[in-house]
Amino acid sequence: MITAGRDYHSKPFKTLVVLGESTVQGGEWLDKQEDRFADIVAGLINTCQATPVTYHNKGIGANVISPRSPGYENSAKPSALERYRTDVINLNPDLFILCYGLNDMRADMPIDAFTEDMQTIIGDVKTTCDPVIVLTTVYHMTGFGSFPPFDLGSIEKTLHYNNAIRQLAEENDGLLADVWAGQGTTDWLIHPDGVHANKVGNLIIAHRILETIAQHCSGLTTATYARDARTAWTINATDYREQDGDPFNPWWIKNSEGRK
């Protein structure tokens, strides 16, 4: 269970891996590769940090969580369960974003099976690398009746999947980026293909993920804090606060020794 005020990572991130489906990989529905939400997240992290994060995009179009997914045969590509050791563990990330559920929901994979396979990946990555793990909820979409066998989804199934993903995050001491809530079931954030977020939708998704990371990982603000601490404004303001009996308390700095 996530504890309010807990600092999950007190240092700048070194290696980011994003594992997912076509929403992560990107495609012709976007003007350019840099419009992918995963690229935007990496760019935002680099805007915050003094040193850039090494970013690995491990998205595959039409991908599913495991061979148990009804969409596996149609996908004809290694599932997340078959590739996470190479695509995630071997890269030793300290920040891991796991983005699955859309295609499995659309193919009507039983939630229990999906949850079990997600848990296998999360548990193994956590044990081996121990990164900050961020799970994303299933994205909003509109084309539920298209692209068989991925034509069996619905908003109701999306909500069930999202509850399962939320529970996985809680049980594994991970973070949940509720991109579904960020999109707000807003149809104009979706490409006319009915499945993928458009450019603006990708911006919404990326900022919801950054929001989640920033709220729980002080390392993202290390460079900002160091810069602010040196300014005349800060020195004067903190002196006034001290005099008024309301001293500035950077508890996350004081408590960061020994943390990741």
Side-chain angles (χ1 to χ4, degrees):
M1 193 75 177
I2 296 172
T3 302
R6 175 182 167 188
D7 188 358
Y8 277 68
H9 199 85
S10 62
K11 300 176 181 178
F13 291 107
K14 295 180 178 179
T15 304
L16 163 63
V17 175
V18 187
L19 186 72
E21 312 145 321
S22 60
T23 51
V24 172
Q25 182 186 36
E28 295 181 4
W29 55 91
L30 294 172
D31 290 337
K32 53 188 177 180
Q33 178 171 282
E34 291 78 10
D35 290 337
R36 302 180 297 185
F37 75 78
D39 288 57
I40 298 169
V41 169
L44 289 168
I45 290 173
N46 288 341
T47 298
C48 299
Q49 297 188 171
T51 54
V53 69
T54 300
Y55 158 54
H56 301 275
N57 185 305
K58 295 297 180 179
I60 295 181
N63 210 220
V64 295
I65 193 66
S66 80
R68 293 200 285 179
S69 176
Y72 177 72
E73 184 175 351
N74 181 267
S75 174
K77 300 164 186 174
S79 67
L81 196 64
E82 294 170 303
R83 65 190 181 93
Y84 77 90
R85 291 182 179 87
T86 299
D87 286 357
V88 182
I89 289 177
N90 287 358
L91 296 171
N92 194 31
D94 52 0
L95 178 57
F96 172 43
I97 304 176
L98 181 58
C99 310
Y100 273 87
L102 180 68
N103 290 336
D104 301 297
M105 178 276 295
R106 295 166 63 209
D108 200 26
M109 182 179 188
I111 291 180
D112 288 348
F114 171 79
T115 302
E116 289 173 3
D117 294 332
M118 284 278 283
Q119 179 60 54
T120 296
I121 296 172
I122 295 167
D124 201 4
V125 170
K126 188 176 179 67
T127 298
T128 308
C129 307
D130 195 26
V132 173
I133 298 177
V134 181
L135 306 185
T136 59
T137 50
V138 175
Y139 322 88
H140 176 53
M141 59 171 289
T142 59
F144 288 110
S146 305
F147 313 115
F150 301 109
D151 58 346
L152 302 174
S154 66
I155 289 179
E156 182 180 8
K157 290 178 182 178
T158 299
L159 295 177
H160 286 312
Y161 260 72
N162 286 347
N163 285 335
I165 293 169
R166 183 175 292 103
Q167 185 172 347
L168 279 168
E170 292 177 354
E171 291 175 350
N172 288 278
D173 196 29
L175 304 177
L176 179 76
D178 194 350
V179 300
W180 164 269
Q183 291 174 299
T185 63
T186 307
D187 292 349
W188 55 80
L189 297 177
I190 309 304
H191 187 275
D193 66 16
V195 178
H196 305 101
N198 60 26
K199 179 177 180 177
V200 180
N202 273 268
L203 285 167
I204 296 295
I205 293 168
H207 282 83
R208 180 51 66 102
I209 294 172
L210 180 75
E211 171 190 295
T212 300
I213 297 169
Q215 287 177 350
H216 296 91
C217 303
S218 71
L220 206 61
T221 65
T222 300
T224 297
Y225 176 79
R227 181 200 66 207
D228 291 346
R230 295 191 297 265
T231 67
W233 174 272
T234 300
I235 294 171
N236 290 333
T238 53
D239 282 348
Y240 278 119
R241 290 192 61 180
E242 187 76 33
Q243 294 168 16
D244 291 339
D246 180 32
F248 177 55
N249 178 28
W251 58 266
W252 63 96
I253 300 294
K254 297 175 182 178
N255 298 338
S256 65
E257 187 174 347
R259 289 185 182 169
K260 293 190 292 182

